[in-house]
Amino acid sequence: MAEAMAAGRLLAGRYRLVGELARGGMAEVWHGVDELLGRPVAVKVLLPHLSADPAFVARFRHESQAAARLSNTNVVTVYDTCHDGDVEAIVMELVQGTDLRARLDERGPLPTDEAAGIGAQVASALDHAHSKGLVHRDIKPANILLCDDGRVVVTDFGIAKATESDQDLTEVGQVVGTAKYLSPEQVSGKPVDGRSDVYSLGVVLYEAACGQPPFSGSGTATAGARLTSPAPSLRQRQPDVAPWFEAVVERAMALEPDARYPTALALRRALLERDPGPDPTAVAPRVAGPLDGRPVTRTGVTPAVRPATPRHRRAARRPDWWPTVLNVTAVVAILVLVIGVLARTEMGRDLLERAGIDETTATSTPAGDPVAVARASSFDPFGDGVEHPRETTALIDDDPSSTWSTEDYRSPLDQIKQAGDASAGVGAVLVLAERSRLGQLVVDSADRGWSASVYVADDPSAVDADDLAPWGRPVATFEVADDRTTVDLTGTQGAILLVWITDLGRVPEATASVSVSIAELDVLD
């Protein structure tokens, strides 16, 4: 029989247990210390009856290793898997805060905006996991951690998938606390994909908004109810819920996977934009010709990729006076073009001056439309592989007060440059929602004098590459001389973009170090 865990026990000669944090039907979580690195950790130890099952342990190790490859600000970082005699454990980041289960038990239903904000961060974590081929399968309030710093992180990626079996709904300890969040396909034993996690997150959002899950009762009855019955109306249970939020939750919880949001990223956009989007089951009228070369789904509905933040929303309908606006806009554009040409000649500049028109204003050109960005990450192949990865969401959050920063280096990145390799550096990656035609990159940074190159690629493996080879040749280079720098990307297309910093600028002393901070990276078409 496995030895009980106790404070002070040392696992794998490295992880010292300090105190128990939580206990569930499959594992207990301990506050621990990594004595090799001297950092606090969370150690999740499988209960003895699960550790004694060789098949379970094999699946557990495999999925834990898969979870350890995830690197996203909304995913609890898995540091290591630990095997010590008959003990199986996962060593993870120790999160300071509470979980959504405790928050709901303490405060009851959450305001719509707060629930939507939490859901959007969970959806970001799921989108990242799904892109790596990992489906969570156990999204529930207890697995959603609310950090003291405002982050929302998802945990238990490894255990959730490893515990799937044909007997999940009947075995004691397998259903309690999870049956009410299972998708219909999980209940019926059908294959699952990322849309199953979308359903479970919809259930969590439903409960977060009204204080109770849509289905209740015994484990098997709760899980089975959703096979034939839609969820009760959310706003009947909680009238204060915004109509758009109810519509988003209803679509996420659709019985048929094809009727839900197709991806976690699409659900995230709906929550951020407060827009449930078109009904995926609606059939569009037959049209006479092609739809501008855009793909058409099996239902005939043209999918629309929306930018990831409310600031970038576009109107879905145009008022009757819109053609007039277009005509006026065309005239203005022609005038700007003529004035711009005049500004290039001495006579023209004299005419502009007499007319009181500022040359710099006359020659400016309007920016393009925002290109939707799915996520951001850091890129440090020549260093230790990480470059403040938890700050990268600041690059796309539309908040100028939040920034992503490089680590401190001697300029120009002497500490990580390979001998004779002038291209070595560090950078930030933007993964676009879809392959797009690019026009401009707008860089907001209060730091001046640093230089970078821009790479554009299509192969997602470039994000995890050990060098720049998969990125090809840079499409642009720039030096930051003002708070906002616009980089011309006209003529390029791709799905991922890398801002590769090669020089941090001059520093006052040769022995001093410097870093670069970036507030926003906006991509325009």
Side-chain angles (χ1 to χ4, degrees):
M1 183 175 180
E3 180 182 351
M5 295 296 101
R9 179 167 178 177
L10 185 67
L11 296 180
R14 177 173 179 176
Y15 304 109
R16 182 77 63 183
L17 301 183
V18 177
E20 185 174 331
L21 296 175
R23 178 182 292 266
M26 294 175 290
E28 54 191 45
V29 181
W30 286 77
H31 175 197
V33 174
D34 182 345
E35 295 193 340
L36 180 61
L37 298 179
R39 67 180 173 186
V41 295
V43 183
K44 182 177 289 270
V45 182
L46 286 181
L47 295 181
H49 71 281
L50 295 177
S51 296
D53 182 348
F56 180 90
V57 169
R59 292 194 302 269
F60 166 74
R61 291 179 182 174
H62 172 75
E63 299 302 340
S64 298
Q65 291 167 1
R69 292 196 296 269
L70 300 180
S71 177
N72 182 273
T73 189
N74 298 120
V75 176
V76 170
T77 302
V78 174
Y79 296 138
D80 193 10
T81 56
C82 175
H83 173 68
D84 188 338
D86 53 8
V87 175
E88 296 289 337
I90 301 176
V91 182
M92 305 176 295
E93 165 193 11
L94 181 64
V95 174
Q96 300 296 332
T98 186
D99 59 56
L100 182 57
R101 175 76 278 144
R103 176 70 63 83
L104 294 177
D105 291 344
E106 177 185 350
R107 291 174 42 185
L110 304 178
T112 296
D113 287 347
E114 184 176 354
I118 291 173
Q121 293 197 54
V122 174
S124 177
L126 294 176
D127 174 61
H128 177 69
H130 297 165
S131 72
K132 301 293 185 181
L134 190 63
V135 180
H136 192 290
R137 308 187 190 208
D138 195 23
I139 291 296
K140 58 184 179 181
N143 285 339
I144 299 172
L145 307 184
L146 311 178
C147 306
D148 292 341
D149 62 5
R151 278 190 308 134
V152 177
V153 296
V154 178
T155 187
D156 267 1
F157 275 92
I159 287 182
K161 190 170 183 181
T163 56
E164 183 195 27
S165 73
D166 293 338
Q167 298 177 325
D168 277 350
L169 301 179
T170 57
E171 289 185 356
V172 177
Q174 297 288 343
V175 175
V176 176
T178 61
K180 52 187 155 185
Y181 305 103
L182 295 176
S183 66
E185 55 268 29
Q186 285 177 281
V187 174
S188 59
K190 297 179 180 178
V192 301
D193 56 25
R195 294 171 298 178
S196 183
D197 285 343
V198 167
Y199 180 96
S200 297
L201 179 52
V203 177
V204 170
L205 293 174
Y206 185 107
E207 181 178 0
C210 73
Q212 57 182 310
F215 304 101
S216 59
S218 64
T220 303
T222 298
R226 71 207 60 201
L227 292 176
T228 56
S229 306
S233 169
L234 177 56
R235 298 188 70 223
Q236 284 185 1
R237 290 186 172 184
Q238 180 58 272
D240 293 338
V241 171
W244 69 265
F245 185 84
E246 180 183 46
V248 169
V249 171
E250 285 182 352
R251 180 172 173 184
M253 292 177 55
L255 295 179
E256 293 297 327
D258 286 345
R260 299 174 201 153
Y261 291 100
T263 63
L265 178 62
L267 174 55
R268 178 179 183 272
R269 291 192 195 119
L271 291 168
L272 290 176
E273 297 181 11
R274 303 184 177 190
D275 181 0
D279 182 357
T281 63
V283 178
R286 190 178 296 274
V287 294
L291 298 177
D292 303 325
R294 292 173 289 174
V296 179
T297 64
R298 286 177 296 176
T299 61
V301 179
T302 302
V305 176
R306 298 175 178 269
T309 60
R311 187 185 73 172
H312 295 155
R313 283 186 299 182
R314 306 172 187 173
R317 296 168 51 191
R318 304 298 188 191
D320 294 337
W321 43 262
W322 186 249
T324 302
V325 173
L326 290 179
N327 291 335
V328 173
T329 302
V331 172
V332 172
I334 293 172
L335 288 175
V336 170
L337 177 61
V338 171
I339 293 172
V341 172
L342 287 174
R344 296 178 182 273
T345 68
E346 184 175 350
M347 181 179 69
R349 286 193 292 270
D350 182 61
L351 290 174
L352 293 177
E353 183 177 353
R354 293 181 183 181
I357 300 176
D358 188 340
E359 175 188 341
T360 57
T361 302
T363 56
S364 63
T365 56
D369 291 325
V371 173
V373 178
R375 61 183 182 275
S377 62
S378 60
F379 188 61
D380 184 25
F382 300 128
D384 58 6
V386 294
E387 196 79 7
H388 294 166
R390 296 199 176 280
E391 297 178 1
T392 54
T393 53
L395 296 169
I396 56 175
D397 65 358
D398 288 339
D399 180 2
S401 65
S402 64
T403 62
W404 169 80
S405 302
T406 68
E407 296 177 0
D408 291 330
Y409 298 104
R410 293 197 310 275
S411 182
L413 299 173
D414 294 331
Q415 293 181 5
I416 64 171
K417 280 186 176 296
Q418 296 177 336
D421 185 357
S423 65
V426 293
V429 173
L430 300 182
V431 179
L432 307 182
E434 63 179 0
R435 191 176 190 273
S436 305
R437 179 181 293 106
L438 309 180
Q440 296 177 337
L441 170 69
V442 181
V443 182
D444 288 349
S445 173
D447 295 325
R448 312 288 178 83
W450 58 275
S451 303
S453 297
V454 179
Y455 293 79
V456 176
D458 286 314
D459 186 357
S461 65
V463 177
D464 301 314
D466 295 329
D467 54 34
L468 289 173
W471 291 93
R473 299 177 61 85
V475 298
T477 60
F478 65 92
E479 180 177 343
V480 174
D482 205 342
D483 288 349
R484 172 164 291 191
T485 303
T486 300
V487 185
D488 185 12
L489 303 179
T490 303
T492 62
Q493 299 184 46
I496 49 178
L497 182 148
L498 168 65
V499 176
W500 185 240
I501 302 171
T502 54
D503 195 328
L504 298 176
R506 296 183 177 181
V507 293
E509 301 176 8
T511 58
S513 60
V514 67
S515 64
V516 161
S517 296
I518 304 176
E520 296 290 329
L521 291 176
D522 292 323
V523 184
L524 308 177
D525 62 17

